[in-house]
Amino acid sequence: MIDRYLVAPTAGVRGQISVPGDKSISHRALMLGGIAEGLTEIEGFLASADCLATLEALRALGVRVEQSGATGARVHGVGLAGLRPAAAALDMGNSGTAMRLFMGLLAGQPFDSTLIGDASLTRRPMQRVAEPLRAMGARIDTHDGRPPVHLHGGARLRGIDYVLPVASAQVKSALLLAGLYAQGRTRVTEPAPTRDHTERMLRSFGVRLECESSAGSAAAALAAPGAVAGVGARVSLAGGQRLHGGRISVPGDFSSAAFFLVAGCLGADAGLTLRNVGCNPTRTGLLELLRLMGAQIELRSVGPAGSADSVEPAADIQVRRSPLRGIRVPESLVPLAIDEFPVFFIAAAAADGETVVTGASELRVKESDRLAVMAEGLTRLGIDCTLLPDGLRLRGGAMTGGRIDSHGDHRIAMAFAIASLRASAPIEIDDVANVSTSFPGFAALARAVGLALQDQSHDCA
Ligand code: S3P
């Protein structure tokens, strides 16, 4: 088994493509569909390894889920009280979202559950979820704050008023899911706005949710990207509300489109179009960052489905080759671009001048330490960069080829494939099998737009 991309330098990319469905929305559609009453039909579902871990876990908890075709799923909801104990530990694979959201969903069940994951997930912090859930009355064991996680059944949860110490949509979502099983109101305040897919989807399942935004809301951060974010939105719900299944249409994943957005900035002389990409403003911080760097990007909205506050907006995005200049990244945009930093650093390496990112220490606890791993790879390609405790400082310049260790991190692997648009020699990227956790078909799509990518991530025996 060789898990490797070999990417030769290419001058340009072009074409019109669609990226697979959104990972965050796909996880949530399965989970909420599972505890809803009636059928939930999902189209545009992302059948990646991460989302399939959620799907299999729901099946193990007694929910019937059928996949139809490559991107359809039908979830036969069992209602708020209908989950059943799993026969064995639930394996979340590489997925932090699956583990943290299931912690919230399972903390108030009458039965015990154990959550396990792969080597990367086993290193990631779960204390940030366990602590507030314990304050709600949950009984949870972890291994020094990390997986495996054991949730004791039969806890009676009560709503709490919690101010998140870190901006995390996963923690917010876990508490809202637990809040459905709690007595009274669960209220969560964010230090800065984070993705709001859970809130939108809960509403579309009929849950009444109160949301107060403030000067630090996503809209405010986008209107004034230089401004320091204040307190983010406060969201609350009353426990015991029933969910009603329905139809969910999942747009393309902005975080997957991000690789091609940067590819377009570096090499799309004739333009590159990405169709039907989710453009929820709590996800599109990278658009603002690239525009601040001088990128030419145009959006054409594609009709949203659903009522005003449950809509997931989507757009066709057109990007052209643009000269980029280095920037100081506004810290308020960091949570809104949190998954896009690996490829953002490639854009910065191809830009004129210095780029500085601070306030991004969360990147150290993703699928890998994304600050250290990106600094290591960029240095390998000849880029002058300095690792900061909470960010990275780098100066754009010529990139050589070289051998990159992705440390099993899907987004690092894909980011360095995009660097081939500016590298002077081939880039070899090791340990790329986990690309399938978020972006099955990446290699084929990269070739379709013109990258010279050879995928050796299969059994070559
Ligand atoms: C996610 C939230 C983010 C993000 C992750 C998906 C989600 O994590 O990095 O890829 O679906 O809620 P944090 O909540 O840890 O910031």
Side-chain angles (χ1 to χ4, degrees):
M1 172 88 162
I2 302 171
D3 291 333
R4 189 169 60 200
Y5 290 156
L6 184 62
V7 207
T10 2
V13 286
R14 61 183 303 159
Q16 292 201 9
I17 56 169
S18 302
V19 296
D22 187 276
K23 179 154 74 79
S24 291
I25 299 175
S26 295
H27 279 297
R28 286 159 171 82
L30 289 173
M31 288 187 197
L32 296 190
I35 57 166
E37 288 165 26
L39 180 68
T40 293
E41 288 184 277
I42 311 171
E43 59 166 36
F45 172 69
L46 174 68
S48 72
D50 276 10
C51 299
L52 293 176
T54 288
L55 188 151
E56 287 305 333
L58 280 171
R59 283 183 176 152
L61 291 160
V63 179
R64 188 150 70 88
V65 188
E66 297 147 352
Q67 284 185 261
S68 51
T71 62
R74 289 159 60 86
V75 187
H76 299 263
V78 295
L80 211 52
L83 296 179
R84 296 288 168 256
L90 299 166
D91 189 352
M92 307 286 114
N94 191 245
S95 177
T97 306
M99 183 165 289
R100 294 187 177 127
L101 269 57
F102 267 118
M103 284 174 72
L105 194 61
L106 296 174
Q109 302 294 336
F111 52 83
D112 284 23
S113 306
T114 302
L115 307 178
I116 58 171
D118 70 5
S120 151
L121 185 53
T122 301
R123 287 191 291 270
R124 296 182 64 188
M126 296 299 144
Q127 192 66 5
R128 53 181 63 193
V129 190
E131 210 169 273
L133 288 176
R134 288 186 189 120
M136 294 176 79
R139 286 183 302 127
I140 302 175
D141 303 329
T142 64
H143 192 266
D144 268 341
R146 295 171 207 288
V149 174
H150 186 78
L151 303 129
H152 294 268
R156 291 168 62 89
L157 304 187
R158 51 192 177 273
I160 56 167
D161 199 334
Y162 191 69
V163 180
L164 294 177
V166 280
S168 165
Q170 293 177 353
V171 182
K172 171 178 66 175
S173 303
L175 299 185
L176 292 175
L177 293 176
L180 292 171
Y181 290 88
Q183 236 177 24
R185 255 193 127 68
T186 299
R187 187 175 286 112
V188 186
T189 305
E190 321 187 84
T194 66
R195 65 190 67 192
D196 63 358
H197 303 304
T198 302
E199 294 93 307
R200 288 177 194 248
M201 200 179 292
L202 280 169
R203 285 205 174 95
S204 78
F205 277 83
V207 172
R208 285 176 313 282
L209 209 74
E210 272 182 32
C211 232
E212 301 158 40
S213 50
S214 74
S217 69
L222 292 178
V228 176
V231 172
R234 173 175 302 153
V235 55
S236 73
L237 56 73
Q241 298 188 58
R242 289 152 68 172
L243 285 73
H244 302 284
R247 279 177 177 276
I248 295 181
S249 174
V250 182
D253 196 325
F254 183 85
S255 297
S256 297
F259 300 100
F260 293 103
L261 262 179
V262 172
C265 290
L266 302 194
D269 285 315
L272 177 65
T273 302
L274 307 166
R275 283 189 301 260
N276 188 31
V277 181
C279 282
N280 178 323
T282 59
R283 290 287 297 281
T284 51
L286 178 75
L287 279 181
E288 310 309 313
L289 295 178
L290 292 174
R291 282 179 172 148
L292 287 173
M293 296 171 91
Q296 293 176 51
I297 303 174
E298 281 164 39
L299 266 63
R300 197 169 48 81
S301 163
V302 294
S307 67
D309 56 4
S310 62
V311 165
E312 285 291 352
D316 290 338
I317 306 181
Q318 212 205 26
V319 56
R320 277 181 189 284
R321 184 186 189 114
S322 328
L324 301 179
R325 53 182 177 271
I327 55 166
R328 181 170 237 302
V329 169
E331 290 193 3
S332 59
L333 286 179
V334 169
L336 309 178
I338 193 67
D339 289 340
E340 283 61 78
F341 279 96
V343 78
F344 169 76
F345 290 132
I346 299 299
D352 246 8
E354 188 178 74
T355 291
V356 184
V357 179
T358 54
S361 50
E362 273 299 296
L363 294 177
R364 292 196 176 270
V365 290
K366 295 294 178 189
E367 286 82 330
S368 69
D369 176 342
R370 287 185 173 158
L371 294 178
V373 172
M374 284 305 298
E376 175 190 291
L378 288 167
T379 305
R380 186 66 55 85
L381 298 187
I383 295 296
D384 171 12
C385 74
T386 312
L387 188 55
L388 308 173
D390 62 342
L392 213 59
R393 176 193 302 275
L394 65 94
R395 179 160 293 282
M399 284 188 262
T400 63
R403 190 161 181 181
I404 303 290
D405 183 351
S406 77
H407 293 257
D409 185 328
H410 54 136
R411 299 202 198 280
I412 304 278
M414 291 184 275
F416 278 103
I418 304 306
S420 65
L421 282 159
R422 287 295 166 85
S424 58
I427 302 178
E428 240 180 278
I429 309 164
D430 288 329
D431 204 2
V432 302
N434 275 338
V435 166
S436 65
T437 62
S438 69
F439 200 158
F442 168 75
L445 220 41
R447 282 191 291 270
V449 298
L451 290 186
L453 185 151
Q454 274 181 50
D455 180 5
Q456 300 173 328
S457 54
H458 52 263
D459 205 332
C460 298

